[in-house]
Amino acid sequence: MAIHSTNDSGGPPSGWKIQLFANISGSEPFVVQVAIQMTELVDASMIPEAKRDELREAILAITFDGLMPAFEHLKQIRASARENVPELNRRQNYEDFTISLWRAYKDLMPRAVKLMGFDIGFLFQNDTIFEKGLTAFVSARPKDLTPFRPYLRAQRDKWQNELARFRNFLEHKSDANPSAFKSRYEPSHAEELFDAAWQAIAEVLAALISMHFPPGVTLVEIPPEQRNAALPRRFGFAMEGIPPSGV
């Protein structure tokens, strides 16, 4: 399976040119839960229609301009682990992967979040600014946003700060000792990092979109064992008096 794209070239849609965009299955969990489910959640929200269009495009940009390029580099990393690849090429795969993944998380996700009326720029600052910004962020809607305190701290501690340091080393050629980043060139580390980043993106977007749901509607998580393997949706709705259903 692969993902195709098309452009409005005038005339009926049946005449539009279709081209192969990426050899990535549309059933990949990150595609389903970010590109597909987030736009569906937006459609179920009370966000004004004009703003919805912008938000949908911003969410798709996270996937197409950030996560998909990172995933393509991850595929190369997987292949290089099985083949005799020159060290220069092998290392370049990890470095390109890191830069694409950081772009998805640090540049593209906050743009989508801002269209929902939130600013998470503090997430990428030093500890002092982060804590001050987090307090202001949660104070805006204490009841709804309180869970973000431990959640965002955990993301920074577990993987985000490490990814940021490595990305800064690659982009700015800092004075850091290159040997300190040796573990960043391991396939298992890249796999874990990709999963951590895209899942955090999905969780942040879903939680903030749900702030715009109609009264009586809440976001629920579909248990892993109940997800369709062909289209592994993770999120669903719960309405007062009605059993939860998948989106």
Side-chain angles (χ1 to χ4, degrees), residues 76 79-81 83-90 93:
Q76 292 298 317
S80 68
E83 302 168 0
N84 186 21
V85 176
E87 181 64 9
L88 175 65
N89 302 78
R90 189 188 77 84
N93 288 331

Side-chain angles (χ1 to χ4, degrees), residues 156-173:
R156 282 168 61 91
D157 293 342
K158 289 179 180 178
W159 63 271
Q160 179 190 312
N161 287 344
E162 174 193 350
L163 176 61
R165 283 192 292 270
F166 187 38
R167 181 268 178 191
N168 289 340
F169 170 73
L170 297 176
E171 287 286 289
H172 306 299
K173 302 302 180 184

